[in-house]
Amino acid sequence: MLDVKNLNSFYGRSKAIQDLSIKVLDGAVFAVLGRNGVGKTTLLRTILGLTDKCEGSIKLNGTEITDKPTFERARAGVAYVPQGRMIIPDFSIKDNILMGGFASSKGRRIPDLVAELFPYLMENLERPGGVLSGGQQQQLAIARALASDPKLLLMDEPTEGIQPNIVEQIEECITRLNRELKLTIVLVEQNVDFARKAASHFAMIENGTCKVDGKIEALTAKIVSQYMTI
Ligand SMILES: Nc1ncnc2c1ncn2[C@@H]1O[C@H](COP(=O)(O)OP(=O)(O)OP(=O)(O)O)[C@@H](O)[C@H]1O
Ligand SMILES: [Mg+2]
């Protein structure tokens, strides 16, 4: 599905991703782990073509996308749920969702799945996004990503800063998107317990590169303590 090889990525002249390689199989939930500031968000942004400069290879289903503009990557089926959610507070819930449809071949519409997963959003479509709680805004960011009919979903710390009782709902939603919708998911996550539960594979990032990767069963307590404890 996604094959990243020898990737370097830059903010101006500073290199935030260094010689990073990962392979995400079709249908996987691939957890990207590591301490603050190691380059997890930058990796997702680079896959989307949102950094200043990148070198190396990014293949989506065998097609090189490294030089493609972001909208073409989105049309090819890559969607993004950014860290911090980035919804537009003054836009209605409906317009926030429909914005995600810009890259969909089916046009701007609210997918049936969104109605099923997030009934609260559907009942409040005309309200501004800004009135929602953190957890509801996260649901909105996921709904917006689903509006582009993605095949590959890049999710950046979807449970960060969210009330514990809502965290479980978000986690269940991620699992359903993978199991029922067969979405391949790259999940940046600080919660190792959830990563163990939800993910099939992992990559541990440090200094902008992948230090250890493999099946989730291979994520030992030793690796976690070496690369994640402060
Ligand atoms: N817009 C930017 N301009 C310049 N440098 C940046 C920018 N965004 C991030 N960086 C730098 O790139 C490096 C990687 O940052 P990144 O945000 O990818 O880390 P992260 O692993 O996602 O961290 P966190 O867990 O805190 O979200 C850091 O050194 C950071 O300071
Ligand atoms: Mg980040």
Side-chain angles (χ1 to χ4, degrees):
M1 167 62 93
L2 177 72
D3 195 358
V4 172
K5 265 201 198 120
N6 305 116
L7 193 68
N8 294 317
S9 183
F10 300 80
Y11 291 110
R13 287 162 72 184
S14 87
K15 203 193 262 187
I17 295 289
Q18 313 217 35
D19 198 25
L20 184 151
S21 301
I22 53 166
K23 209 177 236 183
V24 179
L25 302 176
D26 213 358
V29 176
F30 190 97
V32 174
L33 307 170
R35 291 190 187 92
N36 290 124
V38 295
K40 304 181 297 297
T41 296
T42 307
L43 171 61
L44 299 193
R45 291 175 54 85
T46 309
I47 293 168
L48 285 155
L50 292 172
T51 51
D52 294 343
K53 187 179 109 178
C54 107
E55 303 163 345
S57 160
I58 305 170
K59 281 188 185 161
L60 187 68
N61 292 320
T63 305
E64 189 69 59
I65 58 166
T66 322
D67 294 321
K68 296 224 165 115
T70 298
F71 78 91
E72 280 187 31
R73 302 183 198 208
R75 272 193 199 150
V78 187
Y80 184 34
V81 181
Q83 189 167 16
R85 309 178 269 277
M86 308 293 175
I87 64 139
I88 300 188
D90 294 338
F91 277 25
S92 67
I93 291 173
K94 184 176 171 190
D95 287 342
N96 268 284
I97 299 174
L98 292 180
M99 254 187 346
F102 79 99
S104 169
S105 55
K106 295 181 188 157
R108 285 176 197 265
R109 54 175 194 96
I110 299 184
D112 297 339
L113 182 76
V114 167
E116 196 189 315
L117 286 172
F118 310 122
Y120 181 84
L121 297 182
M122 293 308 285
E123 286 156 18
N124 292 278
L125 284 175
E126 303 306 328
R127 300 185 72 196
V131 304
L132 297 174
S133 71
Q136 289 163 342
Q137 289 191 13
Q138 188 63 56
Q139 295 180 338
L140 181 54
I142 296 171
R144 177 184 59 197
L146 294 177
S148 70
D149 278 318
K151 299 180 188 73
L152 173 67
L153 193 55
L154 310 179
M155 305 183 92
D156 199 347
E157 304 207 26
T159 60
E160 185 186 33
I162 285 172
Q163 292 172 16
N165 61 328
I166 312 287
V167 167
E168 259 177 47
Q169 282 179 30
I170 303 276
E171 291 178 349
E172 189 195 318
C173 161
I174 294 168
T175 305
R176 285 187 68 185
L177 292 176
N178 175 249
R179 298 224 175 113
E180 292 171 31
L181 211 65
K182 309 284 175 226
L183 270 178
T184 305
I185 298 176
V186 176
L187 173 70
V188 172
E189 189 51 76
Q190 300 273 5
N191 179 341
V192 175
D193 289 340
F194 176 56
R196 283 209 166 94
K197 216 170 8 160
S200 53
H201 296 77
F202 77 99
M204 189 62 82
I205 311 295
E206 192 172 73
N207 289 332
T209 199
C210 175
K211 293 287 188 181
V212 197
D213 62 351
K215 290 197 173 158
I216 197 75
E217 295 77 20
L219 179 63
T220 59
K222 190 171 166 218
I223 296 172
V224 172
S225 91
Q226 182 174 356
Y227 293 104
M228 291 187 79
T229 43
I230 306 156

